[in-house]
mmCIF file of all heavy atoms in Angstrom:
data_model
loop_
_atom_site.group_PDB
_atom_site.id
_atom_site.type_symbol
_atom_site.label_atom_id
_atom_site.label_comp_id
_atom_site.label_asym_id
_atom_site.label_seq_id
_atom_site.Cartn_x
_atom_site.Cartn_y
_atom_site.Cartn_z
ATOM 1 N N PRO A 1 51.219 -62.371 54.603
ATOM 2 C CA PRO A 1 51.401 -61.406 55.695
ATOM 3 C C PRO A 1 51.147 -62.047 57.055
ATOM 4 O O PRO A 1 50.133 -62.708 57.265
ATOM 5 C CB PRO A 1 50.356 -60.327 55.391
ATOM 6 C CG PRO A 1 50.103 -60.451 53.925
ATOM 7 C CD PRO A 1 50.242 -61.903 53.608
ATOM 8 N N GLY A 2 52.080 -61.887 57.950
ATOM 9 C CA GLY A 2 51.919 -62.406 59.301
ATOM 10 C C GLY A 2 52.087 -63.905 59.434
ATOM 11 O O GLY A 2 51.873 -64.470 60.508
ATOM 12 N N VAL A 3 52.461 -64.571 58.339
ATOM 13 C CA VAL A 3 52.633 -66.028 58.370
ATOM 14 C C VAL A 3 54.062 -66.343 57.942
ATOM 15 O O VAL A 3 54.424 -66.186 56.785
ATOM 16 C CB VAL A 3 51.630 -66.737 57.422
ATOM 17 C CG1 VAL A 3 51.832 -68.246 57.481
ATOM 18 C CG2 VAL A 3 50.206 -66.368 57.804
ATOM 19 N N ASN A 4 54.871 -66.802 58.872
ATOM 20 C CA ASN A 4 56.284 -67.045 58.585
ATOM 21 C C ASN A 4 56.503 -68.453 58.027
ATOM 22 O O ASN A 4 57.132 -69.311 58.644
ATOM 23 C CB ASN A 4 57.123 -66.834 59.844
ATOM 24 C CG ASN A 4 58.618 -66.852 59.544
ATOM 25 O OD1 ASN A 4 59.043 -66.492 58.441
ATOM 26 N ND2 ASN A 4 59.407 -67.290 60.514
ATOM 27 N N VAL A 5 55.949 -68.668 56.838
ATOM 28 C CA VAL A 5 56.098 -69.966 56.158
ATOM 29 C C VAL A 5 56.682 -69.702 54.773
ATOM 30 O O VAL A 5 56.156 -68.868 54.028
ATOM 31 C CB VAL A 5 54.729 -70.686 56.025
ATOM 32 C CG1 VAL A 5 54.914 -72.037 55.349
ATOM 33 C CG2 VAL A 5 54.077 -70.852 57.389
ATOM 34 N N PRO A 6 57.768 -70.390 54.410
ATOM 35 C CA PRO A 6 58.388 -70.141 53.101
ATOM 36 C C PRO A 6 57.492 -70.576 51.944
ATOM 37 O O PRO A 6 56.736 -71.547 52.060
ATOM 38 C CB PRO A 6 59.668 -70.966 53.148
ATOM 39 C CG PRO A 6 59.370 -72.065 54.122
ATOM 40 C CD PRO A 6 58.483 -71.436 55.160
ATOM 41 N N THR A 7 57.559 -69.840 50.857
ATOM 42 C CA THR A 7 56.830 -70.242 49.655
ATOM 43 C C THR A 7 57.537 -71.412 49.000
ATOM 44 O O THR A 7 58.721 -71.680 49.261
ATOM 45 C CB THR A 7 56.750 -69.083 48.647
ATOM 46 O OG1 THR A 7 58.072 -68.811 48.161
ATOM 47 C CG2 THR A 7 56.166 -67.831 49.285
ATOM 48 N N LEU A 8 56.824 -72.122 48.142
ATOM 49 C CA LEU A 8 57.456 -73.199 47.376
ATOM 50 C C LEU A 8 58.505 -72.616 46.438
ATOM 51 O O LEU A 8 59.577 -73.194 46.243
ATOM 52 C CB LEU A 8 56.397 -73.979 46.595
ATOM 53 C CG LEU A 8 55.370 -74.748 47.436
ATOM 54 C CD1 LEU A 8 54.307 -75.363 46.536
ATOM 55 C CD2 LEU A 8 56.047 -75.842 48.272
ATOM 56 N N LYS A 9 58.204 -71.449 45.871
ATOM 57 C CA LYS A 9 59.124 -70.817 44.923
ATOM 58 C C LYS A 9 60.474 -70.507 45.556
ATOM 59 O O LYS A 9 61.522 -70.737 44.944
ATOM 60 C CB LYS A 9 58.515 -69.530 44.354
ATOM 61 C CG LYS A 9 57.468 -69.757 43.279
ATOM 62 C CD LYS A 9 57.157 -68.492 42.521
ATOM 63 C CE LYS A 9 58.297 -68.134 41.575
ATOM 64 N NZ LYS A 9 57.913 -67.009 40.672
ATOM 65 N N GLU A 10 60.458 -70.001 46.777
ATOM 66 C CA GLU A 10 61.736 -69.662 47.403
ATOM 67 C C GLU A 10 62.517 -70.908 47.824
ATOM 68 O O GLU A 10 63.705 -70.824 48.141
ATOM 69 C CB GLU A 10 61.542 -68.721 48.594
ATOM 70 C CG GLU A 10 60.868 -69.322 49.801
ATOM 71 C CD GLU A 10 60.666 -68.301 50.920
ATOM 72 O OE1 GLU A 10 59.649 -67.579 50.903
ATOM 73 O OE2 GLU A 10 61.538 -68.212 51.809
ATOM 74 N N GLN A 11 61.837 -72.062 47.780
ATOM 75 C CA GLN A 11 62.515 -73.326 48.057
ATOM 76 C C GLN A 11 62.934 -74.030 46.764
ATOM 77 O O GLN A 11 63.317 -75.201 46.771
ATOM 78 C CB GLN A 11 61.599 -74.234 48.886
ATOM 79 C CG GLN A 11 61.234 -73.644 50.244
ATOM 80 C CD GLN A 11 60.347 -74.568 51.053
ATOM 81 O OE1 GLN A 11 60.780 -75.604 51.563
ATOM 82 N NE2 GLN A 11 59.081 -74.189 51.207
ATOM 83 N N GLY A 12 62.834 -73.297 45.654
ATOM 84 C CA GLY A 12 63.295 -73.838 44.378
ATOM 85 C C GLY A 12 62.271 -74.670 43.631
ATOM 86 O O GLY A 12 62.608 -75.341 42.657
ATOM 87 N N ILE A 13 60.998 -74.617 44.081
ATOM 88 C CA ILE A 13 59.933 -75.371 43.417
ATOM 89 C C ILE A 13 58.968 -74.355 42.798
ATOM 90 O O ILE A 13 58.226 -73.683 43.518
ATOM 91 C CB ILE A 13 59.188 -76.290 44.407
ATOM 92 C CG1 ILE A 13 60.177 -77.208 45.135
ATOM 93 C CG2 ILE A 13 58.137 -77.121 43.683
ATOM 94 C CD1 ILE A 13 59.556 -77.964 46.299
ATOM 95 N N ASP A 14 58.959 -74.228 41.497
ATOM 96 C CA ASP A 14 58.207 -73.182 40.820
ATOM 97 C C ASP A 14 56.721 -73.533 40.713
ATOM 98 O O ASP A 14 56.210 -73.881 39.651
ATOM 99 C CB ASP A 14 58.802 -72.943 39.429
ATOM 100 C CG ASP A 14 58.200 -71.716 38.750
ATOM 101 O OD1 ASP A 14 57.565 -70.909 39.456
ATOM 102 O OD2 ASP A 14 58.344 -71.584 37.520
ATOM 103 N N VAL A 15 56.040 -73.424 41.839
ATOM 104 C CA VAL A 15 54.604 -73.719 41.903
ATOM 105 C C VAL A 15 53.895 -72.580 42.626
ATOM 106 O O VAL A 15 54.216 -72.266 43.777
ATOM 107 C CB VAL A 15 54.327 -75.053 42.641
ATOM 108 C CG1 VAL A 15 52.819 -75.223 42.879
ATOM 109 C CG2 VAL A 15 54.876 -76.230 41.852
ATOM 110 N N VAL A 16 52.949 -71.946 41.936
ATOM 111 C CA VAL A 16 52.093 -70.918 42.528
ATOM 112 C C VAL A 16 50.664 -71.221 42.087
ATOM 113 O O VAL A 16 50.375 -71.292 40.897
ATOM 114 C CB VAL A 16 52.484 -69.499 42.060
ATOM 115 C CG1 VAL A 16 51.495 -68.477 42.622
ATOM 116 C CG2 VAL A 16 53.903 -69.156 42.485
ATOM 117 N N ILE A 17 49.772 -71.425 43.041
ATOM 118 C CA ILE A 17 48.384 -71.707 42.694
ATOM 119 C C ILE A 17 47.491 -71.228 43.830
ATOM 120 O O ILE A 17 47.784 -71.450 45.006
ATOM 121 C CB ILE A 17 48.155 -73.214 42.405
ATOM 122 C CG1 ILE A 17 46.717 -73.458 41.957
ATOM 123 C CG2 ILE A 17 48.526 -74.083 43.601
ATOM 124 C CD1 ILE A 17 46.469 -74.870 41.428
ATOM 125 N N GLY A 18 46.422 -70.524 43.482
ATOM 126 C CA GLY A 18 45.498 -70.005 44.481
ATOM 127 C C GLY A 18 44.191 -70.769 44.497
ATOM 128 O O GLY A 18 43.832 -71.464 43.545
ATOM 129 N N ASN A 19 43.482 -70.635 45.589
ATOM 130 C CA ASN A 19 42.190 -71.296 45.763
ATOM 131 C C ASN A 19 41.154 -70.220 46.071
ATOM 132 O O ASN A 19 41.247 -69.542 47.086
ATOM 133 C CB ASN A 19 42.268 -72.308 46.913
ATOM 134 C CG ASN A 19 40.961 -73.051 47.120
ATOM 135 O OD1 ASN A 19 40.109 -73.080 46.247
ATOM 136 N ND2 ASN A 19 40.804 -73.665 48.277
ATOM 137 N N TRP A 20 40.198 -70.016 45.160
ATOM 138 C CA TRP A 20 39.172 -69.002 45.383
ATOM 139 C C TRP A 20 37.841 -69.666 45.715
ATOM 140 O O TRP A 20 37.617 -70.827 45.392
ATOM 141 C CB TRP A 20 39.011 -68.105 44.150
ATOM 142 C CG TRP A 20 38.656 -68.846 42.893
ATOM 143 C CD1 TRP A 20 39.518 -69.391 41.992
ATOM 144 C CD2 TRP A 20 37.335 -69.170 42.428
ATOM 145 N NE1 TRP A 20 38.828 -70.019 40.985
ATOM 146 C CE2 TRP A 20 37.486 -69.894 41.222
ATOM 147 C CE3 TRP A 20 36.051 -68.893 42.896
ATOM 148 C CZ2 TRP A 20 36.390 -70.366 40.494
ATOM 149 C CZ3 TRP A 20 34.960 -69.370 42.172
ATOM 150 C CH2 TRP A 20 35.143 -70.093 40.979
ATOM 151 N N ARG A 21 36.977 -68.898 46.377
ATOM 152 C CA ARG A 21 35.651 -69.406 46.738
ATOM 153 C C ARG A 21 34.597 -68.355 46.428
ATOM 154 O O ARG A 21 34.862 -67.153 46.497
ATOM 155 C CB ARG A 21 35.586 -69.773 48.230
ATOM 156 C CG ARG A 21 36.603 -70.827 48.624
ATOM 157 C CD ARG A 21 36.373 -71.378 50.025
ATOM 158 N NE ARG A 21 37.510 -72.202 50.401
ATOM 159 C CZ ARG A 21 38.427 -71.854 51.299
ATOM 160 N NH1 ARG A 21 38.305 -70.712 51.945
ATOM 161 N NH2 ARG A 21 39.442 -72.654 51.573
ATOM 162 N N GLY A 22 33.409 -68.832 46.087
ATOM 163 C CA GLY A 22 32.319 -67.923 45.780
ATOM 164 C C GLY A 22 30.983 -68.574 46.027
ATOM 165 O O GLY A 22 30.899 -69.615 46.698
ATOM 166 N N VAL A 23 29.921 -67.973 45.497
ATOM 167 C CA VAL A 23 28.576 -68.521 45.664
ATOM 168 C C VAL A 23 27.802 -68.446 44.355
ATOM 169 O O VAL A 23 28.004 -67.542 43.539
ATOM 170 C CB VAL A 23 27.779 -67.782 46.772
ATOM 171 C CG1 VAL A 23 28.266 -68.171 48.151
ATOM 172 C CG2 VAL A 23 27.845 -66.269 46.586
ATOM 173 N N TYR A 24 26.927 -69.424 44.171
ATOM 174 C CA TYR A 24 26.004 -69.476 43.033
ATOM 175 C C TYR A 24 24.583 -69.481 43.575
ATOM 176 O O TYR A 24 24.321 -69.916 44.702
ATOM 177 C CB TYR A 24 26.237 -70.753 42.217
ATOM 178 C CG TYR A 24 27.144 -70.575 41.008
ATOM 179 C CD1 TYR A 24 28.390 -69.981 41.137
ATOM 180 C CD2 TYR A 24 26.754 -71.020 39.745
ATOM 181 C CE1 TYR A 24 29.230 -69.835 40.035
ATOM 182 C CE2 TYR A 24 27.579 -70.873 38.640
ATOM 183 C CZ TYR A 24 28.818 -70.282 38.793
ATOM 184 O OH TYR A 24 29.643 -70.125 37.695
ATOM 185 N N GLY A 25 23.667 -69.024 42.715
ATOM 186 C CA GLY A 25 22.253 -69.089 43.022
ATOM 187 C C GLY A 25 21.616 -70.274 42.311
ATOM 188 O O GLY A 25 22.270 -70.998 41.553
ATOM 189 N N ALA A 26 20.338 -70.465 42.545
ATOM 190 C CA ALA A 26 19.612 -71.609 41.990
ATOM 191 C C ALA A 26 19.452 -71.509 40.475
ATOM 192 O O ALA A 26 19.591 -70.434 39.885
ATOM 193 C CB ALA A 26 18.243 -71.702 42.648
ATOM 194 N N PRO A 27 19.149 -72.629 39.819
ATOM 195 C CA PRO A 27 18.837 -72.589 38.381
ATOM 196 C C PRO A 27 17.565 -71.790 38.134
ATOM 197 O O PRO A 27 16.678 -71.722 38.988
ATOM 198 C CB PRO A 27 18.615 -74.072 38.029
ATOM 199 C CG PRO A 27 19.273 -74.842 39.120
ATOM 200 C CD PRO A 27 19.134 -74.003 40.345
ATOM 201 N N GLY A 28 17.476 -71.172 36.970
ATOM 202 C CA GLY A 28 16.236 -70.544 36.534
ATOM 203 C C GLY A 28 15.937 -69.179 37.102
ATOM 204 O O GLY A 28 14.804 -68.701 36.972
ATOM 205 N N LEU A 29 16.895 -68.507 37.723
ATOM 206 C CA LEU A 29 16.614 -67.182 38.272
ATOM 207 C C LEU A 29 16.476 -66.151 37.153
ATOM 208 O O LEU A 29 17.188 -66.199 36.155
ATOM 209 C CB LEU A 29 17.731 -66.738 39.225
ATOM 210 C CG LEU A 29 17.972 -67.569 40.495
ATOM 211 C CD1 LEU A 29 18.952 -66.841 41.409
ATOM 212 C CD2 LEU A 29 16.667 -67.866 41.220
ATOM 213 N N THR A 30 15.560 -65.226 37.352
ATOM 214 C CA THR A 30 15.421 -64.117 36.408
ATOM 215 C C THR A 30 16.539 -63.105 36.657
ATOM 216 O O THR A 30 17.210 -63.145 37.701
ATOM 217 C CB THR A 30 14.069 -63.418 36.594
ATOM 218 O OG1 THR A 30 14.040 -62.823 37.908
ATOM 219 C CG2 THR A 30 12.912 -64.402 36.451
ATOM 220 N N ALA A 31 16.729 -62.185 35.731
ATOM 221 C CA ALA A 31 17.757 -61.153 35.888
ATOM 222 C C ALA A 31 17.529 -60.322 37.156
ATOM 223 O O ALA A 31 18.483 -60.060 37.908
ATOM 224 C CB ALA A 31 17.811 -60.276 34.651
ATOM 225 N N PRO A 32 16.274 -59.874 37.440
ATOM 226 C CA PRO A 32 16.047 -59.128 38.688
ATOM 227 C C PRO A 32 16.325 -59.964 39.934
ATOM 228 O O PRO A 32 16.837 -59.445 40.937
ATOM 229 C CB PRO A 32 14.563 -58.743 38.603
ATOM 230 C CG PRO A 32 14.257 -58.729 37.139
ATOM 231 C CD PRO A 32 15.069 -59.856 36.575
ATOM 232 N N GLN A 33 15.993 -61.259 39.897
ATOM 233 C CA GLN A 33 16.259 -62.119 41.049
ATOM 234 C C GLN A 33 17.767 -62.285 41.259
ATOM 235 O O GLN A 33 18.260 -62.266 42.389
ATOM 236 C CB GLN A 33 15.603 -63.489 40.844
ATOM 237 C CG GLN A 33 14.100 -63.477 41.002
ATOM 238 C CD GLN A 33 13.482 -64.820 40.663
ATOM 239 O OE1 GLN A 33 13.952 -65.553 39.787
ATOM 240 N NE2 GLN A 33 12.396 -65.152 41.352
ATOM 241 N N ARG A 34 18.499 -62.437 40.159
ATOM 242 C CA ARG A 34 19.948 -62.557 40.273
ATOM 243 C C ARG A 34 20.537 -61.282 40.867
ATOM 244 O O ARG A 34 21.419 -61.338 41.733
ATOM 245 C CB ARG A 34 20.572 -62.847 38.905
ATOM 246 C CG ARG A 34 22.101 -62.913 38.945
ATOM 247 C CD ARG A 34 22.720 -63.189 37.582
ATOM 248 N NE ARG A 34 24.179 -63.171 37.676
ATOM 249 C CZ ARG A 34 25.002 -63.412 36.655
ATOM 250 N NH1 ARG A 34 24.516 -63.704 35.457
ATOM 251 N NH2 ARG A 34 26.311 -63.368 36.825
ATOM 252 N N LYS A 35 20.060 -60.142 40.414
ATOM 253 C CA LYS A 35 20.564 -58.868 40.926
ATOM 254 C C LYS A 35 20.257 -58.717 42.411
ATOM 255 O O LYS A 35 21.107 -58.263 43.196
ATOM 256 C CB LYS A 35 19.960 -57.701 40.152
ATOM 257 C CG LYS A 35 20.513 -56.338 40.597
ATOM 258 C CD LYS A 35 19.872 -55.194 39.845
ATOM 259 C CE LYS A 35 20.538 -53.867 40.246
ATOM 260 N NZ LYS A 35 20.469 -53.629 41.712
ATOM 261 N N ALA A 36 19.055 -59.090 42.814
ATOM 262 C CA ALA A 36 18.677 -58.978 44.222
ATOM 263 C C ALA A 36 19.561 -59.852 45.102
ATOM 264 O O ALA A 36 20.011 -59.434 46.179
ATOM 265 C CB ALA A 36 17.204 -59.362 44.400
ATOM 266 N N LEU A 37 19.838 -61.076 44.640
ATOM 267 C CA LEU A 37 20.685 -61.995 45.401
ATOM 268 C C LEU A 37 22.120 -61.478 45.444
ATOM 269 O O LEU A 37 22.789 -61.550 46.484
ATOM 270 C CB LEU A 37 20.622 -63.386 44.763
ATOM 271 C CG LEU A 37 21.039 -64.587 45.617
ATOM 272 C CD1 LEU A 37 20.314 -64.591 46.958
ATOM 273 C CD2 LEU A 37 20.753 -65.884 44.862
ATOM 274 N N THR A 38 22.577 -60.938 44.327
ATOM 275 C CA THR A 38 23.922 -60.355 44.281
ATOM 276 C C THR A 38 24.034 -59.179 45.241
ATOM 277 O O THR A 38 25.030 -59.048 45.971
ATOM 278 C CB THR A 38 24.261 -59.896 42.849
ATOM 279 O OG1 THR A 38 24.183 -61.014 41.957
ATOM 280 C CG2 THR A 38 25.664 -59.304 42.789
ATOM 281 N N ASP A 39 23.014 -58.336 45.261
ATOM 282 C CA ASP A 39 23.017 -57.175 46.161
ATOM 283 C C ASP A 39 23.048 -57.615 47.623
ATOM 284 O O ASP A 39 23.693 -56.979 48.471
ATOM 285 C CB ASP A 39 21.790 -56.297 45.916
ATOM 286 C CG ASP A 39 21.872 -55.523 44.604
ATOM 287 O OD1 ASP A 39 22.976 -55.455 44.022
ATOM 288 O OD2 ASP A 39 20.831 -55.004 44.152
ATOM 289 N N MET A 40 22.348 -58.708 47.942
ATOM 290 C CA MET A 40 22.371 -59.244 49.301
ATOM 291 C C MET A 40 23.790 -59.647 49.689
ATOM 292 O O MET A 40 24.274 -59.320 50.784
ATOM 293 C CB MET A 40 21.452 -60.466 49.408
ATOM 294 C CG MET A 40 19.981 -60.172 49.487
ATOM 295 S SD MET A 40 18.998 -61.696 49.376
ATOM 296 C CE MET A 40 19.775 -62.710 50.624
#
């Protein structure tokens, strides 16, 4: 949306791939600690 750039597919190259990002917490967190961090 709002970006006038052709897709690879419409140029005859059948490539579709997305890049997602997220966050992890430290090793050893308890379930309540994980929930608190998730809620934040």
Side-chain angles (χ1 to χ4, degrees):
V3 180
N4 189 29
V5 181
T7 67
L8 295 175
K9 282 194 74 171
E10 69 182 86
Q11 298 181 72
I13 305 170
D14 189 16
V15 171
V16 176
I17 184 170
N19 181 18
W20 58 271
R21 301 191 190 108
V23 286
Y24 264 52
L29 297 189
T30 64
Q33 286 175 326
R34 177 181 177 178
K35 183 182 185 303
L37 200 51
T38 301
D39 288 346
M40 283 172 51

